[in-house]
Amino acid sequence: MSAENTSIDHLLTENRRFAPSAEFAADAVAGAELYEKAETDREGFWADQSRELLHWSTPFTQVLDWSNPPFAKWFADGALNVAYNCLDRHVEAGNGDRVALLWEGEPGDERRLTYAELTDEVKRLANVLADLGVGQGDRVAIYLPMIPEAVASMLAVARLGAVHSVVFGGFSADSLRARIDDAGAKLVITADGGWRKGKVSPLKPAVDQALAARNGLGEQETVEHVLVVKRGENEVDWFEGRDLWYHDVVPQASAEHEAQAFEAENPLFILYTSGTTGKPKGILHTSGGYLTQAAFTHRNVFDLHPETDVYWCTADIGWITGHSYVVYGPLANGATQVLYEGTPDHPEPGRWWDVIQKYGVTIFYTAPTAIRGFMKQGRQIPQARDLSSLRVLGSVGEPINPEAWVWYREVIGAGKTPVVDTWWQTETGAIMVSALPGVTETKPGSAQVPLPGISIDVVTDDGRPVGNDAGGLLVITEPWPSMLRGIWGDPERFKETYWDKFADQGYYFAGDGARLDEDGDIWLLGRVDDVMNVSGHRLSTAEIESALVAHEATAEAAVVGASDETTGQAVVAFVCIKENYLRAHSTEGLVDQLRLWVGEQIGAIARPRDVYIVSELPKTRSGKIMRRLLRDVAEGREVGDTQTLADTMVMSVISDQVAKK
Ligand code: WT7
């Protein structure tokens, strides 16, 4: 059977069902009783999970405090140390020799760190950070490639009760600066560079730029030190007094460091994500509730058997998936995992499958965009490797189309592994909707059911449940342990963005459209706001528009997310150029310049796939840009209703201009 053959895709879609094998179910960590327990006593269920999965230095007696919604507190009178939970306690339990990280660099170099070794590294680093003045509540920015030091840095910051803000290495100096400023970071941990697609991609120069006076901003004022890991061996500038080499200070530091317990609501990290406005939001997560749900979901959704499994999540630590399912969930559970530095297709397209074969990966978690990319290359590439160790496959980041889901199961999972499609967000902190691999009969294309202890519904615009076989908006109807505690420095925006829409019902509005099928299973339909999802990464139309408008040639710009076969959505920009520029430059030259410019302003991921130079943008009489119509053009559809446009001719002009390109 060939799932690549789209003609049979229709036959494979909604009607296919895959029940867990009796063998898998018999050995599964999670059984159906979890749903019953959570149903009977939701808070009691989470309290039990938390006590079972974590070590509390001061046990909690309160579970949820929802007296001041939407500001939740979970396990508020308890105290714990997050890093102790991810490291020391495994060593103390006699598992110090278990491998924590099986690291593979892109050039093929390797490092293995046991739990004892990683604990040691984190203790030394914690001592160094403390000496540099980092203490409880201080913010530390982390801008690193996927190397063991990245994991160690997050844990060392957590160990001190400080707050990390990881910035994806693909973000530009400007994006980094905005994040460092917003959080008021005291220290930056970076590397000279990291390996990407066979080359060293420099990082330290971006940090130098971010901290310098530039673009109308003065010199950055809160950062006192920059700690630099040597990885790329690329030349870097050095600022005596500010910059320190990691290898000069960490190995020499003491490996004695006793973890102090912090209250459950002590902030753990800020992670910036795009919203509907130009300014990224600093999503704030705290300690006890976050770690509880990260550990619970990692264990149950992936059926983790820490003694025998080799787990691999391909996400970068710069995204929430890297936080919850590379760092906190797996390490809290004492898992052995692969950490890989590079891209999927370097030096050749089978690299990921080589990694799976080499390390005997049993649980694999990746994004639909990667799966669709592999489908395009053809099944012979994975089939030339031994992938028989795999037993659970996960998907995250965007809806996975049934065709890709089935290909994943058939080709990567040998037609036998459960596939779990996990829906969640930066804001939810951990997985919210997913099958349980030993319990649920899976359905390609549907994320299916809320996890035990999670309450989700699909409602109309005014908050009424749509019921089965209908579509609407996805809402979370009860607080959950790993929920965001706010937007850094902006409580009003937190309320406005997530809680105002369904204030009467007290629901959290996720920003996703969804449908319940006749069985009540959830199908995610994509964002309902001006947020795009490109390769599972969230991008804001407004943010890219403001970058485009900041270019001196641009008069006006509109950005839409157009569906794309591989990346889910792609960034498509419509730009009006100032007359004098239009006369002086070629269209191709301007298009190239603008694409590069967006890359510099935000990062390469935000670079538009297409830039169309147009003479006008479609607007309503009140001046609102009608992006819906531009999306029609970008996706090659017939343009929808243009009656509300101030000038109804505009769209035919734009269609002509796009067609000519
Ligand atoms: C948005 C959150 C969760 C980590 C990666 C992205 C979309 C996420 C799924 C899924 C359909 C999904 C949603 C969501 N999304 N997972 N399994 N099926 N859509 O985190 O950057 O915070 O983006 O990603 O639209 O709102 P994020």
Side-chain angles (χ1 to χ4, degrees):
M1 180 179 55
S2 164
E4 283 140 41
N5 178 348
T6 47
S7 64
I8 61 163
D9 193 30
H10 310 286
L11 305 175
L12 301 176
T13 54
E14 295 79 12
N15 303 324
R16 300 280 309 244
R17 300 289 181 273
F18 300 93
S21 69
E23 205 189 335
F24 190 101
D27 223 18
V29 171
E33 74 286 348
L34 286 179
Y35 293 105
E36 286 150 41
K37 275 197 205 156
E39 192 69 36
T40 337
D41 175 10
R42 211 176 60 86
E43 290 181 26
F45 167 81
W46 284 118
D48 289 348
Q49 289 299 333
S50 190
R51 290 186 185 110
E52 192 187 316
L53 293 165
L54 305 184
H55 173 270
W56 287 87
S57 308
T58 308
F60 56 86
T61 63
Q62 303 162 6
V63 184
L64 168 67
D65 175 356
W66 194 231
S67 56
N68 178 30
F71 300 94
K73 289 184 181 157
W74 282 86
F75 315 121
D77 63 347
L80 80 172
N81 185 288
V82 170
Y84 174 85
N85 270 278
C86 293
L87 299 166
D88 315 44
R89 69 164 165 147
H90 303 312
V91 179
E92 288 167 16
N95 293 320
D97 291 338
R98 186 183 295 165
V99 175
L101 301 178
L102 292 160
W103 178 74
E104 168 125 346
E106 200 192 66
D109 44 344
E110 293 167 25
R111 270 172 78 192
R112 272 168 203 239
L113 279 95
T114 62
Y115 272 92
E117 289 163 343
L118 186 59
T119 303
D120 192 89
E121 178 86 4
V122 169
K123 287 180 173 178
R124 289 178 201 274
L125 180 52
N127 279 322
V128 168
L129 298 181
D131 282 348
L132 293 172
V134 175
Q136 183 180 10
D138 288 334
R139 277 81 60 206
V140 175
I142 297 177
Y143 188 62
L144 281 170
M146 287 290 282
I147 52 178
E149 288 82 355
V151 176
S153 296
M154 291 165 74
L155 291 169
V157 172
R159 190 173 187 92
L160 297 170
V163 185
H164 57 71
S165 163
V166 182
V167 180
F168 173 57
F171 277 123
S172 67
D174 287 352
S175 294
L176 177 61
R177 169 66 179 262
R179 285 158 174 76
I180 291 174
D181 279 350
D182 188 77
K186 196 169 191 176
L187 186 118
V188 181
I189 309 179
T190 190
D192 46 2
W195 286 89
R196 226 189 112 75
K197 294 193 202 279
K199 290 199 304 260
V200 171
S201 150
L203 291 166
K204 169 79 163 52
V207 174
D208 294 340
Q209 264 185 45
L211 301 182
R214 234 165 48 94
N215 288 353
L217 292 173
E219 217 170 286
Q220 208 288 332
E221 279 172 2
T222 58
V223 172
E224 294 165 12
H225 292 285
V226 179
L227 189 59
V228 190
V229 180
K230 192 171 223 143
R231 167 65 187 150
E233 311 273 340
N234 47 315
E235 283 275 330
V236 291
D237 292 339
W238 207 251
F239 296 80
E240 278 313 324
R242 188 196 74 183
D243 299 347
L244 296 150
W245 281 112
Y246 187 101
H247 64 254
D248 279 344
V249 288
V250 178
Q252 288 80 338
S254 159
E256 301 290 316
H257 185 275
E258 202 176 327
Q260 183 196 329
F262 298 95
E263 57 178 39
E265 286 297 336
N266 193 55
L268 178 61
F269 65 85
I270 305 168
L271 184 60
Y272 288 84
T273 188
S274 299
T276 50
T277 69
K279 190 174 178 272
K281 303 175 279 200
I283 304 299
L284 176 68
H285 283 287
T286 59
S287 305
Y290 170 79
L291 199 62
T292 298
Q293 199 176 325
F296 169 78
T297 52
H298 180 257
R299 179 175 138 86
N300 291 288
V301 171
F302 301 116
D303 190 45
L304 179 80
H305 293 72
E307 305 79 19
T308 49
D309 274 315
V310 178
Y311 163 85
W312 183 21
C313 166
T314 63
D316 191 281
I317 53 139
W319 311 108
I320 189 69
T321 309
H323 283 60
S324 304
Y325 300 106
V326 175
V327 180
Y328 292 111
L331 296 176
N333 289 333
T336 295
Q337 68 176 320
V338 169
L339 188 72
Y340 172 61
E341 182 187 31
T343 45
D345 50 1
H346 192 85
E348 39 102 34
R351 183 65 187 272
W352 275 10
W353 317 124
D354 285 337
V355 169
I356 291 177
Q357 173 176 300
K358 176 171 169 187
Y359 296 103
V361 172
T362 58
I363 305 170
F364 183 57
Y365 190 30
T366 195
T369 186
I371 299 164
R372 289 191 299 264
F374 294 129
M375 283 174 78
K376 258 197 197 159
Q377 294 162 355
R379 59 176 64 201
Q380 62 285 358
I381 297 172
Q383 277 174 348
R385 275 85 179 174
D386 179 5
L387 305 181
S388 60
S389 54
L390 289 170
R391 56 176 207 91
V392 181
L393 300 176
S395 172
V396 63
E398 57 181 309
I400 176 163
N401 46 310
E403 191 197 9
W405 193 106
V406 171
W407 189 91
Y408 195 26
R409 182 179 157 104
E410 295 293 324
V411 179
I412 306 307
K416 62 178 180 22
T417 55
V419 173
V420 288
D421 174 10
T422 62
W423 178 89
W424 58 296
Q425 313 177 294
T426 305
E427 292 86 341
T428 69
I431 301 171
M432 302 293 279
V433 178
S434 171
L436 288 180
V439 180
T440 321
E441 187 182 60
T442 52
K443 204 183 258 187
S446 167
Q448 297 196 288
V449 281
L451 288 179
I454 298 299
S455 309
I456 293 221
D457 208 346
V458 178
V459 299
T460 59
D461 209 44
D462 50 6
R464 282 172 297 114
V466 295
N468 288 0
D469 213 3
L473 302 171
L474 190 85
V475 291
I476 307 172
T477 60
E478 298 287 347
W480 63 102
S482 63
M483 66 197 285
L484 76 165
R485 298 304 197 263
I487 294 177
W488 184 256
D490 203 345
E492 267 321 299
R493 192 173 175 198
F494 170 56
K495 287 190 205 157
E496 245 170 61
T497 313
Y498 305 106
W499 303 95
D500 278 4
K501 181 152 178 75
F502 298 113
D504 292 348
Q505 297 84 357
Y507 294 164
Y508 168 91
F509 171 51
D512 278 345
R515 202 182 154 76
L516 294 177
D517 67 14
E518 59 280 8
D519 304 325
D521 279 329
I522 302 168
W523 294 72
L524 273 308
L525 302 174
R527 303 288 306 190
V528 295
D529 49 15
D530 289 326
V531 170
M532 292 169 287
N533 190 324
V534 178
S535 300
H537 300 315
R538 214 200 291 190
L539 295 171
S540 138
T541 52
E543 197 180 348
I544 302 177
E545 283 169 6
S546 61
L548 285 165
V549 173
H551 191 280
E552 52 187 9
T554 307
E556 248 191 320
V559 165
V560 299
S563 55
D564 181 283
E565 224 181 276
T566 308
T567 59
Q569 283 188 308
V571 180
V572 176
F574 296 83
V575 185
C576 304
I577 299 291
K578 291 175 188 158
E579 275 303 324
N580 51 333
Y581 276 89
L582 214 46
R583 278 193 300 268
H585 300 269
S586 73
T587 311
E588 297 85 65
L590 284 165
V591 165
D592 289 347
Q593 263 193 50
L594 289 170
R595 291 189 69 246
L596 279 176
W597 172 258
V598 173
E600 277 163 29
Q601 296 282 298
I602 302 173
I605 39 163
R607 232 184 261 150
R609 182 190 70 188
D610 304 311
V611 175
Y612 296 116
I613 308 267
V614 296
S615 43
E616 241 182 297
L617 295 174
K619 289 185 186 159
T620 61
R621 280 170 208 100
S622 60
K624 251 187 99 169
I625 297 174
M626 292 193 71
R627 292 190 183 74
R628 169 173 68 78
L629 301 176
L630 293 173
R631 198 170 305 125
D632 289 339
V633 175
E635 293 178 348
R637 257 196 314 276
E638 193 181 327
V639 174
D641 189 356
T642 56
Q643 280 187 40
T644 49
L645 285 179
D647 171 0
T648 52
M649 283 306 293
V650 160
M651 283 317 297
S652 51
V653 176
I654 293 178
S655 300
D656 285 351
Q657 284 171 332
V658 168
K660 251 192 254 140
K661 213 198 115 178

